[in-house]
Structure formats: C-alpha cells, structure tokens
Amino acid sequence: MDELRKRLQIARWIAEDMLGNLDDQGRALLDAWLAESPEHVQEMEKIRGEVVAGKWEVEEVARKGWEDFKRRKRLVLWRRVMKYAAILLLPLAVAAGLWWHDVHSAEEAAPVVEPIVAGKTRAVLELADGKRVDLDEMRHLDLQEKDGTAITLSEDQVLRYDGEASTSGQQQEYYNTLWIPKGGEYSLQLSDGTCVWLNAATRLKYPVAFTGKERRVELEGEAYFEVRKDDRHPFIVSAEGVDVQVYGTSFNINTFVAQGVETVLLEGSVGVRSGLTGKEQKIEPNQLALWKAETGTFEVRQVDARLYAEWKDGIFRFSNERLEDLLTDLANWYDVSVIYREETVKELHFSGYMERYDNIKTILDAVTEATGVRFSIQGRNIIVQGK
C-alpha cells in the first residue's frame, strides 16, 4: 500500500471511530498503527482535524454509505468539501463537538505509547529471613545467610552460593527463592555446583546449602539444569506435582505448557514421577516426557532436545509447537498479554527459528506468514485472530 492509500485507509478508520462505527477489526488495526510510533498519535490528531475541515472525502460515500465504503478498493483524495459534505461531514461535525476539546488537549501533550521490548537480566532474591533484594542492574553482591553460606554475583551476572563457607555440621536447611518476572531471565549456581538458567515468569525455591540425603528444589515456570553429579545425594526438582530425579545430567523443565508439565532430557538419565499417583517414567536423551494431570498419564516422544534449551542462549526455536504454547513463551519474554478472538487457533502448529531479542512484530509476522493467523498490538496486548 503506497503512502497515499495508507493515509486514506487510516483516515477511514479515524472517521468511523469519530462516528462510533469502528468495528473490532478496524479498532485493532488502528491501535496497532498507533503503537508503531508516538508520531502516529500526533498524525491521528492531525487527520481528525483535516476530516472536520473537509480535506478528506471518499468517492461515492453519499450514494453507498460507510458500510459499502468498507468494501471499496478505490479511494480518492479531494482538497475541498464538495457535494457530499452534507452527508459525510454533518455527522462528523456533530461528533466533533464531543471530542473537540480532547483533540486540542492531545495536540498539546500527545500520549507516548510504551514500546514492547525483549526481556533482560532481571530477578528478585528472597532470603531466608524474608528480606528481598532487587537484582536488576546490580553488578555487585556480597551477602551471608544464617548458616554462613556466602552469596555473591559473578562478573557475568550469575548468582553464586559458596557452600564451603557454611557452618560445619549444619543440619537445618535455610531456603532462598529467586523470582524472575515477566520480561526477565537469570542464572545461578547452587552450593553443590549445579547451574540453573531461569526463564521469564519463573520461581525457584532452593536450600542455600544442601545438608540432607537429597538435593531438592521447587520450580514454577521454566528452567534448564546442569546438575553436578553426586551418586549419594540425588537431585530432585519438584514442579507442580511432578518430581524429576537425577544424579548428574542436563535437562529442561517447563510448567507453562497448557497440557501439563514437560521434561526434556539432553544428557544423562532421569526418572519423572507423579507425586499424585506415584507413577514414574524414565526417559533417555532426546526424549520428552509430558505429564498430563487431567488423565494422570505420561506421554513420551522422541525430540531434538537441543531445541528446548536454546532459549537460554538467546534463541526461539520451535518444532511443530502449538500456537498457544508459543505465544505463552512470547508473552512471558516480552511482558505482554495475549487475547484470542478465536479459540481454535490455539491448536495450530508452528516451526521456526527466531532471535530471542528480535522485535516482537518481526516474530509475529513470521508466524502469520507460516500459519495465516493475524495479530494486532493494542498497548501491551497481542490480539490473535483467525485466518
């Protein structure tokens, strides 16, 4: 669409909005255009003024009316109000009386639309005594827990626990919780040397130093683990009713998938057990175990496990992914909400590779090209419509 036709299209949406006749689709498209740039807000007010002043006119509006005009492909730009002014501009003038003051106020201080940006390193650390430490933008940290465990930040922004500094013979376990908000990510090294990468909208609760027969942590959200091998002290991740037990391995756990809890194994061997039924499912590298709480069963399938862990390296890679699960990932990473106009689109599948730090519109355009599903951006909402 060239600039003239685009401006005419936008003028039509604005005029219908002024009359109160703009439908949901037109509203979504207009909001998406406004969200592209703060300058578009000023442009909208300018067009509003031009509509009222009679600088915009549409061929045959008088004869066929606005509804037929929506279906027309041919638009004509006029400089002055001519024979259709009585039909087109009279109702606009009436509407103008209601918003004229708002237009002038907007011209003086046009609202700035907050851009949607990719996530970054962000987290809140909750200590054993309940104190919270905001780790955003922090470059140095030197704390000590009740048991003597030292908590520091490395140069590469990894939260580290030095278990060797803990009190000798200490039996009581003190717990910390690391909260990752939407639009954030963080990594830490536990006192046993296990490394954990936490995705957006995730919570991990863990002992500051492991003292018992097992090493147990609690997860809500998505995390990738590289567990330090210790045959005498199994490592267990509890995630929404599922326990993943390992001795030394690399795996990804995701509780965001709509169907249940997903565990993908990259290296080693794990047993995935339901805390509700006691059922256990062992999986091997490049296998995915999906625990379905509704049916109380595990579904195991072969996958390329690397695809499920590349998020920690700044990559979105989807292999026949359900659209709902894909958009959940994007919503958490870009800190937006997703609104579905049609529920059926959730079950569409998508495969693709995208940079995790790309503009969200670039990613949505790629999904549209592959599936035909349409997206519009309204503030911090992603509106999903069918083909």
Side-chain angles (χ1 to χ4, degrees):
M1 180 185 295
D2 58 34
E3 287 303 312
L4 174 60
R5 294 180 64 83
K6 183 175 182 179
R7 188 171 168 82
L8 284 166
Q9 177 74 18
I10 293 167
R12 176 174 67 83
W13 295 332
I14 293 172
E16 289 183 334
D17 185 38
M18 291 161 62
L19 288 171
N21 294 331
L22 188 62
D23 58 21
D24 289 344
Q25 182 177 356
R27 164 58 57 190
L29 292 169
L30 178 59
D31 287 344
W33 177 75
L34 291 172
E36 289 177 1
S37 170
E39 295 178 356
H40 287 178
V41 177
Q42 298 175 352
E43 179 73 5
M44 178 183 70
E45 302 305 342
K46 181 179 179 181
I47 293 175
R48 279 181 169 180
E50 291 177 351
V51 169
V52 175
K55 294 182 180 179
W56 293 94
E57 188 173 355
V58 184
E59 185 181 34
E60 295 188 334
V61 167
R63 182 170 64 84
K64 293 190 175 182
W66 277 103
E67 288 303 314
D68 185 60
F69 169 50
K70 293 178 183 179
R71 296 189 293 271
R72 291 190 56 79
K73 295 182 179 179
R74 188 160 173 263
L75 304 175
V76 180
L77 175 64
W78 295 82
R79 288 292 183 182
R80 300 177 57 184
V81 179
M82 298 179 71
K83 59 182 178 181
Y84 306 126
I87 297 174
L88 175 60
L89 293 181
L90 181 59
L92 288 178
V94 174
L98 300 176
W99 52 257
W100 184 256
H101 180 269
D102 292 337
V103 170
H104 283 277
S105 298
E107 288 176 348
E108 294 176 3
V112 178
V113 179
E114 182 182 358
I116 296 175
V117 297
K120 62 180 182 179
T121 301
R122 300 174 58 197
V124 174
L125 172 64
E126 183 177 332
L127 302 173
D129 61 3
K131 179 182 177 181
R132 293 196 172 196
V133 180
D134 189 344
L135 301 178
D136 292 11
E137 308 299 333
M138 187 173 288
R139 291 291 179 266
H140 176 76
L141 181 68
D142 189 3
L143 297 173
Q144 192 173 68
E145 265 292 1
K146 294 180 178 180
D147 65 349
T149 299
I151 309 173
T152 60
L153 268 179
S154 67
E155 292 183 1
D156 54 352
Q157 291 300 100
V158 176
L159 191 66
R160 296 183 183 275
Y161 287 76
D162 183 3
E164 294 181 357
S166 61
T167 303
S168 177
Q170 176 73 43
Q171 294 301 313
Q172 181 177 354
E173 286 187 330
Y174 295 95
Y175 286 83
N176 281 186
T177 302
L178 195 60
W179 304 81
I180 317 300
K182 294 182 70 172
E185 62 181 354
Y186 221 86
S187 57
L188 77 156
Q189 180 177 299
L190 300 176
S191 61
D192 66 338
T194 292
C195 295
V196 189
W197 287 259
L198 302 173
N199 208 344
T202 294
R203 179 187 73 90
L204 184 70
K205 182 178 180 181
Y206 51 91
V208 297
F210 296 103
T211 61
K213 296 182 179 179
E214 63 182 26
R215 299 169 289 165
R216 181 181 291 269
V217 300
E218 298 177 8
L219 173 71
E220 292 179 8
E222 182 173 19
Y224 172 78
F225 293 82
E226 290 185 355
V227 177
R228 178 63 60 88
K229 187 174 183 179
D230 184 347
D231 293 338
R232 296 179 302 168
H233 302 90
F235 193 96
I236 300 173
V237 181
S238 295
E240 297 191 6
V242 173
D243 285 350
V244 178
Q245 180 170 325
V246 302
Y247 291 91
T249 188
S250 301
F251 60 98
N252 196 82
I253 301 180
N254 188 355
T255 69
F256 289 129
V257 293
Q259 298 159 307
V261 179
E262 180 184 87
T263 304
V264 180
L265 181 63
L266 281 80
E267 296 180 3
S269 177
V270 303
V272 186
R273 183 175 63 253
S274 164
L276 181 64
T277 66
K279 293 181 179 179
E280 183 177 68
Q281 177 68 53
K282 291 186 177 181
I283 59 175
E284 298 177 352
N286 287 318
Q287 285 189 332
L288 179 153
L290 176 63
W291 166 251
K292 297 183 175 181
E294 291 185 357
T295 60
T297 59
F298 285 102
E299 175 186 308
V300 179
R301 64 177 185 268
Q302 294 293 132
V303 296
D304 184 348
R306 296 172 302 171
L307 306 184
Y308 294 82
E310 287 187 322
W311 61 265
K312 70 181 181 64
D313 299 317
I315 296 173
F316 281 124
R317 192 188 295 274
F318 303 106
S319 178
N320 200 31
E321 187 88 5
R322 291 178 66 253
L323 186 62
E324 181 182 18
D325 295 334
L326 180 157
L327 292 177
T328 296
D329 288 343
L330 295 184
N332 288 337
W333 181 236
Y334 287 92
D335 190 11
V336 296
S337 298
V338 179
I339 300 173
Y340 294 90
R341 296 298 191 199
E342 299 177 21
E343 292 293 313
T344 56
V345 301
K346 293 181 177 181
E347 298 303 321
L348 295 175
H349 287 71
F350 173 82
S351 296
Y353 166 99
M354 292 160 285
E355 296 292 334
R356 188 168 158 90
Y357 297 93
D358 273 351
N359 185 298
I360 191 170
K361 190 175 185 302
T362 301
I363 298 176
L364 295 178
D365 287 346
V367 177
T368 296
E369 185 176 349
T371 66
V373 173
R374 293 170 295 151
F375 301 95
S376 60
I377 300 175
Q378 299 183 19
R380 301 201 67 82
N381 297 318
I382 305 299
I383 312 301
V384 188
Q385 297 175 303
K387 300 179 181 180

